[in-house]
Amino acid sequence: MKKINWYPAIILGLLALLVVTFAALVTSRASLGPAQHFSDSGARELFEWKLVTTWPKNFPGLGQAPERFAKNVELMSSGRLKIKVYGAGELVPALGIFGAVSEGAAQMGHGAAYYWKGKIPAAQFFTAVPFGLNAQEMNGWLHHGGGLELWQEIYEPFNLIPLAGGSTGVQMAGWFNKPINSVEDLQGLKMRIPGLGGEVLNRAGGTAVTIPGGELYTALQTGVIDATEWVGPYNDLAFGFHQVAEYYYYPGWHEPGSMMEFIVNKKAFDQLPEDLQVIVRVAAREANQDMLDEYTARNNRALRELVQEQGVKLRRLPDDVLSHLKQINTQIMQETANQDPEFARIYKAFKDFERDVRPYHQISEEAYYQARELDERDKEE
């Protein structure tokens, strides 16, 4: 009987098994995609960031947005990017986050661009312009009107990447310890009001100061300031301003659609794999919309409590006061544009977009609001 030589078959079988195993490993590694980056040792590449904010830790709306952002980033990245959030004063002062992130002491920050007007006057466009774009329009300008690209340009010299970080919608005009019945009542008024709105108040005869939110209650209580704007009923109730101020005025002429910001250290961002960069951008976009949704859902409930249960005197600013403030704002914007080419360039882009969207909003949003009130007016009559 002829002896069968099994060695060639065994060798071929082993080679086939090796090929199949190698193919399976390649397929498995490929299925991980760019999201699963490995170091030279074969371990997953992990990143830990610090995020500093200008708000008290977990403060409703403003303070919760970065917490939500950090949680979503960790979940979407399967734990590869973990972000620890620090409230105002925990790691850096409330108004020190711009420098901290720019210098790399923290990888991210959450605040408002108009706080940095001393460094970049044009940054104020990316929080709020008095009598300017509302929240819906601001989001449109930033994400589909070229605004975000301009924002990125002016932050680039500071090693920062800005992202929209949430909107409060139209704010309240603020809390006052005396009634505002005429333009004359603005004379000598010492008020916490940042950004362009503060410049308008100064020109109107008042004195604008910038104070972090956590210090406002005491400042009002002790008479350091006569008035303050903050955000709106949802946040103002949480701070207890109704305990130290008698009058609550609207509308928020100075901040018609206040945009918050995430700022990212560019060097840290560039070190992330591409998929994590996308996750950071997408999580910021989600937080941006969620904040506006939260304020929309919470503000009126808080306003009802302030007026009906706390006895707050809700007042509308007189038309002549609003008209006077608007005229001053127009003068300031034009004067600043004449002196600062960068401010002028962004001002033109801002106004061009506003002119492009306002006509439609007049026959859509504004017309609808008027139509919605028709039945209510009939009932009142």
Side-chain angles (χ1 to χ4, degrees), residues 21 41 82 93 103 108 134 138 179 181 225 229 240 249 265 273 275 280 325 339 359 368:
T21 302
S41 64
K82 294 184 178 181
E103 296 163 9
M108 285 195 72
N134 65 16
M138 276 291 288
N181 296 319
I225 54 177
E229 65 79 46
Y249 274 92
N265 179 277
D275 67 307
V280 168
L325 294 172
Q339 299 166 4
Y368 169 70

Side-chain angles (χ1 to χ4, degrees), residues 95-100 102-103 113-124 154-155 157-158 160 340 342:
L95 300 182
I97 73 164
F98 187 95
S102 176
E103 296 163 9
Y114 61 12
Y115 289 142
W116 330 129
K117 70 174 186 176
K119 295 180 174 65
I120 318 172
Q124 298 172 97
I154 65 173
Y155 275 31
F158 298 88
L160 293 173
D340 184 338
E342 184 174 74

Side-chain angles (χ1 to χ4, degrees), residues 21-150:
T21 302
F22 179 76
L25 286 172
V26 170
T27 302
S28 175
R29 179 68 176 268
S31 69
L32 294 174
Q36 300 293 330
H37 287 259
F38 290 80
S39 66
D40 293 339
S41 64
R44 286 199 315 166
E45 200 170 2
L46 305 178
F47 299 86
E48 292 185 358
W49 279 13
K50 299 173 184 175
L51 193 164
V52 291
T53 79
T54 62
W55 330 113
K57 180 75 170 176
N58 284 317
F59 188 69
L62 298 174
Q64 290 172 352
E67 301 282 354
R68 178 183 177 87
F69 164 83
K71 181 179 179 181
N72 284 339
V73 167
E74 183 172 349
L75 286 172
M76 288 191 287
S77 69
S78 298
R80 290 169 52 231
L81 176 54
K82 294 184 178 181
I83 302 175
K84 185 173 181 179
V85 179
Y86 294 86
E90 288 187 329
L91 195 61
V92 299
L95 300 182
I97 73 164
F98 187 95
V101 180
S102 176
E103 296 163 9
Q107 290 78 18
M108 285 195 72
H110 189 260
Y114 61 12
Y115 289 142
W116 330 129
K117 70 174 186 176
K119 295 180 174 65
I120 318 172
Q124 298 172 97
F125 284 101
F126 302 100
T127 299
V129 172
F131 303 98
L133 302 178
N134 65 16
Q136 185 175 341
E137 293 162 344
M138 276 291 288
N139 275 317
W141 180 51
L142 291 177
H143 298 126
H144 293 281
L148 185 58
E149 289 76 9
L150 292 171

Side-chain angles (χ1 to χ4, degrees), residues 124-301:
Q124 298 172 97
F125 284 101
F126 302 100
T127 299
V129 172
F131 303 98
L133 302 178
N134 65 16
Q136 185 175 341
E137 293 162 344
M138 276 291 288
N139 275 317
W141 180 51
L142 291 177
H143 298 126
H144 293 281
L148 185 58
E149 289 76 9
L150 292 171
W151 199 359
Q152 291 168 344
E153 285 179 25
I154 65 173
Y155 275 31
E156 187 174 5
F158 298 88
N159 191 37
L160 293 173
I161 298 172
L163 300 168
S167 179
T168 64
V170 181
Q171 295 195 0
M172 293 290 285
W175 295 86
F176 296 75
N177 277 320
K178 68 173 186 177
I180 304 297
N181 296 319
S182 66
V183 170
E184 287 70 29
D185 291 326
L186 300 175
Q187 299 296 315
L189 183 74
K190 191 171 184 180
M191 180 175 183
R192 184 271 183 188
I193 177 171
L196 291 164
E199 295 183 39
V200 173
L201 179 68
N202 286 336
R203 188 77 63 91
T207 300
V209 297
T210 299
I211 301 174
E215 301 174 17
L216 291 177
Y217 183 96
T218 302
L220 263 179
Q221 185 181 43
T222 58
V224 171
I225 54 177
D226 307 309
T228 186
E229 65 79 46
W230 178 234
V231 180
Y234 180 40
N235 282 160
D236 295 356
L237 177 63
F239 264 153
F241 292 141
H242 58 282
Q243 299 169 0
V244 290
E246 188 174 359
Y247 301 96
Y248 199 24
Y249 274 92
Y250 70 95
W253 58 274
H254 61 302
E255 297 196 36
S258 305
M259 179 63 66
M260 305 301 110
E261 67 174 4
F262 286 106
I263 49 176
V264 190
N265 179 277
K266 188 176 186 303
K267 183 178 179 181
F269 187 78
D270 289 344
Q271 290 173 348
L272 293 179
E274 185 179 2
D275 67 307
L276 291 186
Q277 292 180 353
V278 172
I279 286 174
V280 168
R281 292 185 184 278
V282 170
R285 191 74 173 263
E286 191 277 341
N288 179 59
Q289 183 61 50
D290 184 73
M291 183 188 288
L292 180 60
D293 296 345
E294 183 177 2
Y295 279 100
T296 301
R298 303 283 185 259
N299 268 329
N300 194 64
R301 185 185 307 167

